[in-house]
Amino acid sequence: MSSDAFSKILIAEGLVSAEQLAEAMRLAGSSGKKVHDEVVRLGYAPGDKVMRALAKAHRMKFVDLTALTVPAEVVALLPESVARENTIFALADNAGALRIATSDPTDIDTQEKLRFILNREVEMALAPRDQIVEAINRHYGTSDGESADSMLQEFTDTAIDFTETAVEQDAASGGQEETSDAPVVKLVNLIITEAVQLRASDIHIEPFEDRVRIRYRIDGRLVERDNPPRRLLGAILSRIKILAKLDIAERRRPQDGRIKLTADGKDYDLRVSVLPTNHGQSVVMRILDKDNIRVGIRQLGLSENDFRQFKNLIRRPNGIILVTGPTGSGKTTTLYASLNELNRPDTKIITAEDPVEYYLAGINQVEIKHSIGLDFARVIRSMLRQAPNVILVGEMRDTETAQMGIQASLTGHLVFSTLHTNDAPGAITRMIDMGVPAYLVASSIIAVLAQRLVRVNCPKCKQPHQPLDTQIESAGITPEMLKGATFMKGRGCSHCQKSGYKGRLGIFELMVMTSKIRELAFQGAPTQEIRRAAVGQGMAVMFDDGVQKALRGVTTLDEVFRVSKRTE
């Protein structure tokens, strides 16, 4: 009954439309998550408002934990391990009943378990999950910044001998998974857990002459976190290699592996790359969070016009759609969002990827293995015999792959792929430069989407902001545009690690192949000429898309200038 009540409240309060609610329920059914979590993740409504509606539906009290400070004696009533494991937090001790914050009103099991563990009455209140995690870190302190420093301090002050031999002996005994009390195990777990909580996409562990530098990449920017002493390097490396099932005795060659782990109640995949440098082996761990690619096309950040066009394009029966941009510009997310949209029981989708980063239910994914001659061209040739409707080619990196992709599109398949070009018109000339005949390029490509990622203003601390006159002039903003502008900028708070930004969004340039552009492609016209024709026929350039987002207060002009430039 309460789920129906929750749905009615969401729609009655105008938080979501009936279509958005249906989409969230569909995704919740396939992912096993709660509907309210999906509504927030899809960006349909703010987390606190959704949680208030959920509290109303379940007749529970809603609590905002952002500025709440709970006395230490109340926090101590709930053991930290229980709080972290169940993502709950003690709020107040009211006449024998302990009030606990939770983000799941249907979790009766935890409530009963708490009554048994604490031997007292428990009453539950609702709060957003991220606020509970933040409150746990703030009050218990084991996973915030001070803890990592104090843990490192503990290791260095007590001069624990982090010898590789000890770790290797541990590996040989086969007991490495169980010895969670070992200092190196704690340290590596701490590094990974903290990176996950800070929403990092990569962990960089880099050795230097007298120290080891640990950095996290958060929203595309590297942030330095710790500098453990050099003597800890061997043990840290060995522990990571054990987790990734790599050869811990190999120090001269690059190695690649994967780690599967659960952190903060979620399953994560870590792709591990080990590279020998002049000061020792450097490690980069890419954190792959399945939630990142479970997005719809609507959440990518396309403008209304581009969104409508792109949605129509991906429903075409054949042709090539190219997504372009440098490494780390969100191309994979865009492609997976498109595949998620097309992933239906009546559509067969096959992908060729190098490597397969995320595993998608209902889609046939093939990993490229160059060592056995399984390259893109060979996979495409074989996958065509499997009669797919949609094909994803990870990257068109050579002439043979490009020509195979084009042949696939001409024989009635819809092909998605990526190219490393700076803008959409450049993809046409790049394909021709690769040796693909101009007439094939002109006839097969139906659209090119170029993109970059800009950081989004933190919702908690953003405030009105006036850009410099030089910035406004450089961005080409007219007085008419300024009249309706609401420039915003985050001042920096605990929610965004003092950066002023939280999360990222795409800025796009969608070039649809018209008869005029096809003609120019066929003639092998230069990029500038194709660009002029595309703009003349209504293409909004990437820089202008970014400026529009800055005018609406979504991001800042600084971010737009950082990732793109104005074209004349």
Side-chain angles (χ1 to χ4, degrees):
M1 177 62 203
S2 53
S3 65
D4 291 341
F6 174 56
S7 302
K8 285 173 185 168
I9 291 168
L10 282 180
I11 292 171
E13 294 187 358
L15 292 173
V16 297
S17 65
E19 294 79 18
Q20 288 174 331
L21 183 61
E23 172 72 0
M25 291 172 88
R26 184 181 70 76
L27 286 172
S30 62
S31 67
K33 290 183 180 253
K34 306 288 183 187
V35 174
H36 63 268
D37 287 335
E38 289 293 353
V39 169
V40 175
R41 189 183 64 75
L42 290 165
Y44 291 152
D48 55 339
K49 290 188 177 175
V50 171
M51 204 52 78
R52 282 178 198 276
L54 194 64
K56 195 186 287 186
H58 287 269
R59 296 187 172 85
M60 291 172 75
K61 185 177 174 64
F62 174 82
V63 186
D64 185 350
L65 300 179
T66 43
L68 189 70
T69 303
V70 179
E73 59 270 18
V74 175
V75 174
L77 292 172
L78 186 66
E80 182 187 351
S81 57
V82 177
R84 287 195 185 282
E85 185 185 337
N86 301 285
T87 319
I88 54 176
F89 184 68
L91 297 171
D93 190 3
N94 298 332
L98 186 63
R99 177 173 288 166
I100 302 281
T102 178
S103 62
D104 184 2
T106 61
D107 190 3
I108 306 300
D109 290 346
T110 298
Q111 199 168 340
E112 292 304 318
K113 187 167 72 173
L114 284 174
R115 286 199 179 104
F116 177 75
I117 292 170
L118 304 173
N119 194 25
R120 60 185 304 171
E121 194 53 43
V122 171
E123 60 178 55
M124 307 300 271
L126 271 190
R129 182 185 169 85
D130 59 340
Q131 287 189 18
I132 295 174
V133 172
E134 199 177 330
I136 290 171
N137 292 340
R138 195 166 68 240
H139 288 80
Y140 290 105
T142 333
S143 270
D144 62 3
E146 292 152 15
S147 71
D149 294 335
S150 63
M151 180 165 272
L152 279 174
Q153 199 67 39
E154 175 197 329
F155 295 153
T156 50
D157 287 353
T158 54
I160 294 169
D161 187 16
F162 275 79
T163 60
E164 287 177 83
T165 318
V167 182
E168 287 171 20
Q169 284 171 353
D170 184 33
S173 70
Q176 74 275 10
E177 291 301 327
E178 287 69 42
T179 57
S180 56
D181 292 339
V184 67
V185 175
K186 279 185 180 176
L187 179 58
V188 171
N189 287 352
L190 180 80
I191 290 167
I192 295 172
T193 307
E194 186 185 51
V196 164
Q197 287 174 344
L198 293 174
R199 300 174 303 103
S201 59
D202 302 89
I203 303 167
H204 294 248
I205 300 173
E206 303 155 314
F208 294 99
E209 198 169 351
D210 56 348
R211 66 187 175 109
V212 178
R213 181 168 69 179
I214 297 175
R215 296 192 289 177
Y216 300 151
R217 190 179 291 280
I218 302 170
D219 291 335
R221 303 297 292 269
L222 278 169
V223 178
E224 190 161 328
R225 186 61 198 87
D226 288 311
N227 285 292
R230 167 80 197 195
R231 64 187 177 80
L232 305 191
L233 176 66
I236 292 171
L237 282 173
S238 295
R239 175 62 188 162
I240 290 169
K241 285 186 178 182
I242 288 166
L243 289 172
K245 298 180 172 56
L246 298 174
D247 181 1
I248 58 176
E250 178 58 74
R251 294 178 176 83
R252 297 174 302 166
R253 292 191 183 94
Q255 291 177 278
D256 293 296
R258 279 183 109 107
I259 299 174
K260 285 189 187 298
L261 60 90
T262 303
D264 215 13
K266 282 168 67 177
D267 292 330
Y268 290 90
D269 237 356
L270 270 68
R271 210 172 76 215
V272 181
S273 169
V274 182
L275 181 72
T277 69
N278 58 339
H279 288 299
Q281 296 167 90
S282 168
V283 177
V284 176
M285 291 184 275
R286 162 69 61 89
I287 301 169
L288 305 173
D289 179 2
K290 292 182 181 69
D291 282 355
N292 290 348
I293 49 97
R294 214 179 274 133
V295 295
I297 297 171
R298 172 63 81 182
Q299 283 74 55
L300 296 173
L302 288 157
S303 66
E304 199 56 44
N305 186 43
D306 284 352
F307 170 72
R308 279 199 307 272
Q309 280 191 306
F310 191 69
K311 232 180 152 176
N312 289 334
L313 285 163
I314 66 169
R315 301 205 178 277
R316 295 271 287 269
N318 64 298
I320 294 181
I321 297 174
L322 289 174
V323 181
T324 79
T327 305
S329 60
K331 299 189 296 293
T332 303
T333 304
T334 299
L335 290 171
Y336 281 174
S338 306
L339 294 187
N340 283 335
E341 186 79 17
L342 299 171
N343 191 7
R344 298 284 181 270
D346 60 350
T347 305
K348 184 173 177 82
I349 303 173
I350 306 183
T351 75
E353 301 169 67
D354 182 19
V356 173
E357 289 195 357
Y358 299 97
Y359 299 106
L360 301 170
I363 291 175
N364 304 274
Q365 293 170 277
V366 182
E367 183 148 328
I368 300 302
K369 289 189 173 67
H370 296 289
S371 57
I372 58 169
L374 191 64
D375 53 20
F376 279 112
R378 189 165 177 184
V379 170
I380 297 167
R381 199 175 292 118
S382 300
M383 64 166 59
L384 290 178
R385 298 188 199 117
Q386 302 252 325
N389 303 96
V390 179
I391 291 171
L392 167 67
V393 181
E395 188 187 336
M396 294 214 169
R397 54 177 64 165
D398 55 43
T399 312
E400 192 182 5
T401 307
Q403 288 190 327
M404 287 301 304
I406 283 173
Q407 292 301 331
S409 75
L410 294 174
T411 51
H413 304 85
L414 182 64
V415 180
F416 291 94
S417 192
T418 67
L419 264 183
H420 289 280
T421 62
N422 291 326
D423 56 8
I428 305 293
T429 46
R430 172 67 58 83
M431 292 280 276
I432 294 168
D433 289 346
M434 281 166 61
V436 181
Y439 69 90
L440 282 179
V441 174
S443 58
S444 61
I445 294 177
I446 54 174
V448 184
L449 181 73
Q451 66 179 79
R452 297 287 187 284
L453 290 175
V454 290
R455 290 182 294 170
V456 174
N457 285 323
C458 173
K460 302 276 186 193
C461 66
K462 67 178 180 182
Q463 55 191 21
H465 166 72
Q466 184 54 45
L468 300 170
D469 291 343
T470 51
Q471 287 185 314
I472 290 170
E473 190 182 332
S474 301
I477 298 171
T478 62
E480 290 74 32
M481 291 161 77
L482 275 175
K483 282 177 191 166
T486 50
F487 290 109
M488 304 290 268
K489 188 169 186 174
R491 67 176 184 277
C493 64
S494 60
H495 187 61
C496 59
Q497 282 79 52
K498 310 292 180 197
S499 68
Y501 299 100
K502 181 136 183 161
R504 289 187 291 175
L505 201 63
I507 59 172
F508 299 92
E509 178 174 287
L510 178 62
M511 184 180 81
V512 180
M513 293 291 280
T514 60
S515 54
K516 171 71 175 165
I517 297 171
R518 282 189 201 286
E519 192 181 318
L520 289 171
F522 182 69
Q523 293 164 3
T527 304
Q528 291 84 347
E529 206 174 322
I530 296 173
R531 168 175 285 282
R532 275 196 296 272
V535 171
Q537 297 191 327
M539 180 182 83
V541 297
M542 198 188 313
F543 182 83
D544 292 346
D545 186 37
V547 169
Q548 286 300 322
K549 287 181 170 72
L551 288 168
R552 296 201 309 273
V554 175
T555 186
T556 60
L557 286 177
D558 291 333
E559 277 295 290
V560 179
F561 287 131
R562 183 175 68 84
V563 302
S564 64
K565 65 180 192 298
R566 191 177 174 193
T567 50
E568 299 306 328

